[in-house]
Amino acid sequence: MENLIKRILAVTVIVVVVILAFKYCEFKKDDDSTIDYNTNLIQQQILNVGKLVVTEGHFSEVITYKNQQKYLMDMVSFEKKALVVVNANVTVAYDLHKMKYDIDEKNKTITILSIPKEEITINPDIQFYDVEQSKLNEFTGDDYNKINKSVKANLAKKIEKSSLKTNAQNRLISELSKILILTNNMGWKLQYNGKTIQSDKDFDQDLKL
């Protein structure tokens, strides 16, 4: 009788251990499935964000181009000049396909390793008016190259002083915030530049470093 009781207890213990082991494996499987699901969801969101963010602007300016050719010990000169009207379409773009990141499933952390710098494209439409020149000092390709170079340099200064780059950066932060919202909702952390990102302001401060 005593042996029978011991056998029943032994069988009961074995059954309980098997059930607990099964439950643990089932729980572990569910946990792994959740991590995989969350990781895939985050990767998909990053792919959705990974696009070309483009901000467009328009700039105009009028410049006067002059050039003199002097002869006979500068006693005689021939001048050429023109009124140059410039209308330029400018784009500031962030290609987020180039963004690099790391996903740490164990610690539930996304780390943005690098954000691509802005790409500024200037497409000027240059028109010449009131062109004055002489046979001894005509407009050449070199003049047009100088004018084009000067126009782009002036436009670059205008872009720096304008709100175009700031607007482009705000659009960039808006896209990156989609990742932040998702990670916060899922209980993950988002890191960039050695810091945990808590809000849009963190992105704004770090991007202006």
Side-chain angles (χ1 to χ4, degrees), residues 10-21:
V11 170
T12 302
V13 169
I14 292 171
V15 170
V16 170
V17 169
V18 170
I19 291 173
L20 289 175

Side-chain angles (χ1 to χ4, degrees), residues 55-117:
T55 303
E56 296 181 333
H58 184 81
F59 295 85
S60 298
E61 66 176 352
V62 178
I63 62 175
T64 300
Y65 177 78
K66 293 181 179 181
N67 176 270
Q68 279 189 342
Q69 290 288 346
K70 295 182 179 181
Y71 301 92
L72 300 175
M73 299 179 65
D74 297 342
M75 294 176 63
V76 179
S77 64
F78 297 90
E79 185 179 69
K80 58 184 171 186
K81 64 180 181 179
L83 187 68
V84 183
V85 178
V86 182
N87 287 292
N89 290 318
V90 179
T91 61
V92 180
Y94 289 92
D95 188 356
L96 291 180
H97 289 105
K98 298 177 182 178
M99 183 175 68
K100 296 180 180 179
Y101 61 91
D102 177 70
I103 297 178
D104 183 351
E105 297 177 353
K106 182 179 179 182
N107 296 306
K108 295 184 177 180
T109 301
I110 305 248
T111 302
I112 297 177
L113 303 175
S114 66
I115 296 172
K117 292 188 70 65

Side-chain angles (χ1 to χ4, degrees), residues 54 146 171 200:
V54 180
K146 287 180 181 178
R171 288 196 60 194
D200 293 355

